[in-house]
Amino acid sequence: MEEGGMQSAKRLSGIVGIAVMALGAGLTRAATQSVFGVTPDGQVVKQYRLTNARGTEALVITLGATLRSLEVHDRNGKATDVVLGYDTLEEYLDGRGYLGATIGRYANRIASAEFAIDGNTYRLSANNGANSLHGGVKGFNQAVWVADGSVSSAADGVRLKYVSPDGEEGYPGRLTVWVTYTLTNANELKIQYRANSSATTVVNLTNHTYFNLGGAGDGEVLQERLMVAADAFTPVNGDLIPTGQIQPVADTDYDFRAPTELGPRLAAAGDPRVVAAHGFDFNMVLRGHSPHLHYAATLQDPKTGIELRLDTTEPGLQLFTPHFPQGAIRGKGGKVYAGSAAVCLEPQHFPDSPHNRQFPSTVLRRGEVFRSESVYHFRALPEVNHHNSP
């Protein structure tokens, strides 16, 4: 594992997120709460409603510190929910797809469900064949978080806390994690993570929101245009475990350096893994990585005019375009999520970093603080007239 200078850089950039703006008693200016449901073991799951001066609204539930809904206005002023989700707690407890959830302790995959630090080997829960995916059998998406905070902010937000016991899913150390959702009047949804551990461990956090800027459940994302600030990606084997190489995106299916329509790229994909899955599931190596926010990606929908710009402190972006079998998932309002119904843009460290010293380190030592931030900025673009002038 990498140590020294790489460790200090990792501490500054390790949290995916939505910015830390702080909260009194866990809440900022005007977030309102309600009961979303009660788990079978009696834990109350709350829902927080965040709003801003532009009429944008976000719903966050404490199960999995999950972004359940995000309504922004399209070019015609129509409120449009742009993230996939469920109507009931029971559906979230089922855990299908990790829709909108906070992912941890380790987002993405760890090969063979084990890793070693300082000569000690730790065996994890294997829930993806022989590998561990998104924290194991019971990741952070299945935990009930609590509102926590002692600071105030002019923005609307909520800060949630979860304490992962030493040994949970095989990970060492008692890990305390805070996730802050903030909705600003600049139409930014900010997510910030902070964590510390009682013992040396590995940490990789992200948010697993499924975006459809045409409206959740209102068709596919094939017409949406994506640009990613990545000159390279990490190739994987048949189990989606990185080979350890870092390969240029030039002349591959993963070149999104210019705005690219998703549908034609998927249709023309030559990678058999993309063809078999009907979509992408790869880590993009972001350029300009630093402890500070840097540009990661832009997603645009031509129908609604809604644009999402993502900035992050993370070194990687997992590009995931799931393919839902017809009728397999019924989401909010009874809408069926079918085909290429969404795209996930997940800022994070690279998959399987504990086995690849050349990747940015995910080691968190006792006394260090893990921090990360991601900002999702929304705006509505005017309709473009593509016809020639007379």
Side-chain angles (χ1 to χ4, degrees):
M1 303 301 300
E2 296 198 16
E3 308 293 344
M6 185 64 78
Q7 293 303 321
S8 58
K10 164 67 176 100
R11 292 316 105 222
L12 292 172
S13 69
I15 289 180
V16 180
I18 299 180
V20 91
M21 298 214 68
L23 330 160
L27 301 176
T28 60
R29 175 177 53 82
T32 58
Q33 64 172 293
S34 58
V35 174
F36 185 65
V38 180
T39 66
D41 61 354
Q43 297 183 82
V44 175
V45 175
K46 296 181 180 179
Q47 176 171 272
Y48 293 94
R49 184 183 305 272
L50 316 181
T51 58
N52 69 8
R54 299 184 181 214
T56 299
E57 177 182 284
L59 298 178
V60 176
I61 61 173
T62 55
L63 180 73
T66 296
L67 178 64
R68 180 173 169 257
S69 175
L70 180 61
E71 286 192 352
V72 299
H73 290 82
D74 68 10
R75 65 161 60 98
N76 297 315
K78 178 185 176 183
T80 303
D81 186 356
V82 296
V83 304
L84 275 58
Y86 297 116
D87 283 328
T88 68
L89 176 61
E90 289 71 25
E91 291 167 307
Y92 281 104
L93 288 170
D94 182 62
R96 287 185 299 170
Y98 305 90
L99 269 60
T102 295
I103 303 300
R105 286 190 188 191
Y106 198 97
N108 222 304
R109 292 167 174 84
I110 295 181
S112 302
E114 67 176 27
F115 65 92
I117 301 178
D118 299 336
N120 298 312
T121 297
Y122 299 94
R123 303 194 185 282
L124 311 175
S125 297
N127 63 328
N128 184 241
N131 309 310
S132 182
L133 173 67
H134 292 339
V137 175
K138 184 183 177 183
F140 288 179
N141 62 300
Q142 289 294 292
V144 178
W145 298 55
V146 296
D148 176 83
S150 59
V151 278
S152 60
S153 168
D156 200 1
V158 59
R159 184 163 69 198
L160 302 174
K161 176 182 177 181
Y162 176 63
V163 180
S164 176
D166 181 20
E168 185 172 49
E169 294 297 308
Y171 289 91
R174 180 178 184 266
L175 188 76
T176 304
V177 186
W178 292 266
V179 177
T180 303
Y181 285 89
T182 309
L183 184 60
T184 75
N185 288 333
N187 242 22
E188 298 167 332
L189 180 63
K190 300 182 177 182
I191 306 173
Q192 183 181 50
Y193 298 117
R194 178 166 60 93
N196 58 57
S197 178
S198 65
T200 300
T201 190
V202 294
V203 179
N204 186 27
L205 305 179
T206 193
N207 178 276
H208 208 303
T209 290
Y210 291 64
F211 290 101
N212 185 330
L213 302 186
D218 292 332
E220 299 183 282
V221 295
L222 300 177
Q223 79 286 354
E224 295 191 358
R225 295 170 62 83
L226 174 67
M227 183 166 67
V228 180
D231 300 315
F233 73 106
T234 51
V236 295
N237 63 21
D239 292 327
L240 298 182
I241 299 296
T243 63
Q245 298 174 308
I246 295 178
Q247 180 180 330
V249 298
D251 301 318
T252 74
D253 296 327
Y254 315 107
D255 188 352
F256 288 91
R257 291 175 293 177
T260 304
E261 195 171 343
L262 288 172
R265 175 60 59 85
L266 285 171
D271 189 320
R273 288 160 296 192
V274 176
V275 174
H278 303 282
F280 296 103
D281 194 1
F282 280 83
N283 170 62
M284 314 296 289
V285 179
L286 297 176
R287 72 173 74 104
H289 172 235
S290 76
H292 308 290
L293 284 169
H294 53 90
Y295 170 67
T298 301
L299 184 68
Q300 298 175 341
D301 187 275
K303 180 180 67 175
T304 62
I306 295 173
E307 177 189 84
L308 179 164
R309 175 191 165 113
L310 171 61
D311 298 311
T312 187
T313 58
E314 288 295 305
L317 181 74
Q318 188 75 12
L319 171 61
F320 178 42
T321 56
H323 186 82
F324 297 101
Q326 182 66 42
I329 293 185
R330 188 173 298 275
K332 290 173 293 188
K335 292 184 177 181
V336 174
Y337 301 149
S340 300
V343 55
C344 298
L345 304 173
E346 306 167 53
Q348 57 188 260
H349 271 57
F350 301 172
D352 201 33
S353 290
H355 292 123
N356 292 276
R357 294 191 179 201
Q358 69 277 26
F359 291 174
S361 176
T362 54
V363 172
L364 176 68
R365 295 194 175 275
R366 181 177 180 178
E368 296 178 332
V369 178
F370 175 92
R371 300 183 186 276
S372 174
E373 181 179 2
S374 296
V375 180
Y376 301 82
H377 180 236
F378 294 88
R379 65 171 179 163
L381 303 174
E383 189 166 8
V384 177
N385 185 354
H386 295 286
H387 298 290
N388 294 327
S389 301

